[in-house]
Amino acid sequence: MGKTGVADRIFFGGDVITMDDKHPTAEAVAVTDGKISAVGSKSDLMALKGPSTDMVDLRGQTLVPGFLDGHSHFINAVRLASWANVSSPPAGEVKTFADLIATLKAYKERLALKPGEWLMGYGYDVTSMDETRELTRADLDPHFPDNPVMLLHVSLHGAVLNTAGFKAAKYDLNTPTPAGGMTARMPNSTEAAGLVMEHSFLPIYMVMPTPTEAQQLDGMKAAQELYASNGYTTCQDAPMEPPTRPLYHKAADQDRLYLDVVGYVNWLEFPQVLESGAEPFKAPYKRHFRIGGVKIIGDGSPQGKTAFWTKPLLTPGPSGEKDWRGEPNVTPEDLNSVVKLAYDKGIQVMTHCNGDATIDMMLEAHEKAGAPVGKRTVIIHSQFMRPGQLDKYVTYGFIPSFFTNHTFFWGDVHVENLGKERAYFLSPTASARKRGIRFSNHSDFAVTPLDPMFILWSSVNRTSRSGQVIGPDERISPEDGLRALTIDAAYQYGEETRKGSLEPGKVADLTILEKNPTKVDAAAIKDIKVSETIKDGKTVYKRA
Amino acid sequence: MIGGYLGAGKTTLLNALLRNADGVRYAVLVNDFGSVNVDAELIASTGAQTIELTNGCTCCTIGGDLILALKDLVARDWAPERIVIEASGVADPQSVARQAACHPALSVQARIIVADAESIVERAEDKYVGGLVRRQIAAADTIVLSKVDLVDTGQLARLRGWMAQAAPNAPLIESAWGDEFAAELMLVHHSATDLHAPAPETGRHGHSAFTAMTFYSAEPLDRTRFLNAVEAMLPVVARAKGTLYFADAPQARCLFQLAGERWSLEPFAPSERVPRTRIVTIALAQREGQLEEVLRMLRRAEVRREELDARD
């Protein structure tokens, strides 16, 4: 029981998962002035009911703490807000070209596009569709003769365009394929068919319209709607692109933010930003925005083979290299100096490390900075670790933010590239739990969908696209999986005394799930929908 | 594109390029951690525009900085005539150049990697960055070996051999640390290759079409002996530049320049960073032997303390 007095809202009538170790479940939660005022039995909480109290009957649904985004790129949601989602399940609904065209048509109507205006889509990936060939402009042209169409490939490294799209991009259909490019051609023709990838895509990328500041500020609304509809109440952008730092402050000043957004400064501009005093590094939220610290990008991605490992891959590198181990994205000298600088100033460090060699570099940087404790240094992805590195995480208090969605999206690819032993140890959640390490689990949106129940499902099941269990020993319980989306994610942000569990005095950030993920069949976790999201006691999303 | 590991001298080279801009409108893209070391005054004086690239990774965000910056530059009313990309210490020159080449208005003139003579071999064996340093070198079309004045002759010879293995097709330009003329030599080199300069002869492991040598001295020069050396230079040296002073007028510093058949000596107001006498010479690689003789003549032009004393 919390303080007495009349509650603004009382939630009851369903399971309550508190994520508070002392009282893991409850019957009801009361909210007063944006804070949780009481958690307990329904009968006890009825004492807080007044005439103005909004009684929220969960009707058998499940109340959990609002989710904290362990790691994603909020700005992508801002950008994609006015784009059609042409992804295939589980990221979207598009299974066939007919679905895709229907989705685009609906979008065109919704946005009331005039002739000549770009119709943009994202998430195109024919390998996840029930189709046997790539989409071409011949499929799109009859439906969209007057609007340039560009559908960004799921990898973000290419797109499909219609004829009007190529024309608007001033792209000659007979442009030769450049080195490092891929241009699909029409059958028996030298003309570009629609799909352009990698270097073939760059000339188009260069002429693509860039959103204005006003458009991006407007996009903040749709972006928050997307996060809220997925049950998130705290979102992340790490690293912020330098031009978008002021954008966040502007959005906050104009009261456009209602979810909490934490931005991390890009390490490449960190010394200048620090010196100029441009960013309030250790200040609390101001109108829902705060600077979390500095984000360093240590290496690339494992599926792109640009992560940095100590042992070579079993398959050739991205350009056919033998014994390919990938490369770091930062020199040890620069890494050491940023880590030291941030530690000296008491600023949180968040480093993207996918391969074990990059993790070695980060551990060394920490040691060279005097191996301090209590810094809550976050290692984003911690994807391909060696078991011994987890022990060092314990010693140094590193917080891994794992990415178990990889088991589904690229698990099979990782087995092929790295072999079972290494692939099965990707995002080693169970091994981390055994050592008492607190970790979060993330979507890396727009790399994978934001859906927290999909993330939870992947940490509990670790099933790949082909049905292979990627590391049976690293599966965790739904309870532990939930910690990584709530209380332990709050710990990562240094906000565990305010958020992440349902306890009196904490911020009333709540999410209502259609079903209880700890009670449904493990395989069905991913089908659970978010019904409602509550930020500071107010409903910010309600499923139609 | 100028690449190379940290501290190799990329920014020094870039600054020198800007100093020698000769009215060419430059734009500079800098993609490295820390402060921008490009001389601000210099940029103002050459009209070069500087853009910092600060996205470390393009794989997680939609769109790369580099592409957007290039797009922006090309679209400007007063578009630059040359763009120099100072890549980060970990950048793959091939990838940077390929991205740039995708813009229809741009062509890649040079992928230059600056390698520090003192540390490059060690770097190439480093457990973290060795692979990428080796790949950077292999992807270069020109290598500038910097700080050659800090290694001895034996080391330099070994380095040349090592580089011939690591980058067999890239011309090697040797340069001393802080060498403000290195960039000019680069320009000479590149304009010459544009004009289809004769292919280098074999020997000297088929490296550069050009060879560069620098004469340093703390002593004043004898005017007559120096002029003799210039006479000997004319048929050999494609370009030379330097500062010097003569024993007969030790207070009057001179700027010496030679291009083709023409040369000049002008009064020169020195800055402190320039050594008292330094002359950089560049010649076709096959004239390396003759160039060495020119250097010996310059050496003989030195007026040593004993000679000065004898004159008094």
Side-chain angles (χ1 to χ4, degrees), chain A residues 73 76 79-80 152 156-157 178-180 199 202-203 205-208 210 241-242 266-269 271-272 297 301 308 324-334 337-338 352 357 360-361 364 444 447, chain B residues 5-6 31-36 52-65 67-68 70-71 88-90 92 94-95 98-104 106 123 126-129 131-133 135:
Chain A
H73 302 270
N76 282 346
R79 305 255 162 86
L80 297 178
L152 205 59
L156 309 180
H157 287 215
H199 289 98
L202 291 181
Y205 182 78
M206 287 195 220
V207 299
M208 230 166 82
T210 34
E241 293 167 11
N266 187 320
W267 68 279
L268 286 169
E269 61 161 356
Q272 294 98 309
I297 298 179
S301 79
F308 184 36
W324 178 252
R325 300 196 291 124
E327 285 177 352
N329 188 56
V330 53
T331 62
E333 291 90 335
D334 284 346
S337 87
V338 184
H352 159 128
D360 281 342
M361 282 169 63
E364 262 182 48
D444 202 12
V447 177
Chain B
Y5 202 73
L6 302 178
N31 183 14
D32 217 342
F33 163 70
S35 56
V36 180
E52 285 175 69
L53 303 174
T54 35
N55 262 4
C57 174
T58 54
C59 66
C60 322
T61 42
I62 298 159
D65 253 7
I67 304 299
L68 292 179
L70 291 173
K71 171 187 163 184
S88 79
V90 293
D92 170 7
Q94 191 120 14
S95 159
R98 274 182 179 172
Q99 286 188 51
C102 286
H103 196 291
L106 300 173
R123 284 263 185 265
D126 184 87
K127 66 173 170 171
Y128 294 134
V129 298
L132 80 87
V133 165
R135 278 186 289 278

Side-chain angles (χ1 to χ4, degrees), chain A residues 216-235:
Chain A
Q216 297 203 57
L217 281 170
D218 288 343
M220 294 272 173
K221 182 169 177 280
Q224 288 174 95
E225 282 166 9
L226 184 66
Y227 277 78
S229 70
N230 281 289
Y232 290 98
T233 46
T234 300
C235 327

Side-chain angles (χ1 to χ4, degrees), chain A residues 4-69:
Chain A
T4 52
V6 174
D8 295 330
R9 305 181 82 176
I10 295 175
F11 297 84
F12 69 99
D15 289 348
V16 176
I17 304 175
T18 67
M19 304 312 294
D20 170 11
D21 289 339
K22 297 183 294 290
H23 311 283
T25 57
E27 284 175 8
V29 172
V31 170
T32 312
D33 293 334
K35 297 271 173 66
I36 295 169
S37 47
V39 180
S41 69
K42 190 185 169 193
S43 55
D44 282 354
L45 265 66
M46 281 307 144
L48 302 174
K49 181 178 183 283
S52 62
T53 302
D54 174 22
M55 298 298 292
V56 183
D57 186 349
L58 295 169
R59 283 170 293 148
Q61 301 187 102
T62 300
L63 187 71
V64 296
F67 295 123
L68 293 99
D69 164 23

Side-chain angles (χ1 to χ4, degrees), chain A residues 220-284:
Chain A
M220 294 272 173
K221 182 169 177 280
Q224 288 174 95
E225 282 166 9
L226 184 66
Y227 277 78
S229 70
N230 281 289
Y232 290 98
T233 46
T234 300
C235 327
Q236 188 183 101
D237 193 21
M240 291 178 288
E241 293 167 11
T244 49
R245 283 194 291 108
L247 196 71
Y248 282 117
H249 291 293
K250 210 167 261 186
D253 290 344
Q254 295 174 4
D255 262 333
R256 288 172 184 263
L257 301 180
Y258 55 87
L259 299 182
D260 286 343
V261 180
V262 186
Y264 284 76
V265 171
N266 187 320
W267 68 279
L268 286 169
E269 61 161 356
F270 177 61
Q272 294 98 309
V273 171
L274 196 60
E275 200 180 329
S276 68
E279 293 295 344
F281 272 101
K282 285 177 282 180

Side-chain angles (χ1 to χ4, degrees), chain B residues 191-214:
Chain B
S191 49
T193 33
D194 287 349
L195 296 171
H196 308 290
E201 290 174 3
T202 48
R204 219 182 157 252
H205 49 71
H207 254 150
S208 174
F210 287 88
T211 184
M213 290 186 192
T214 306

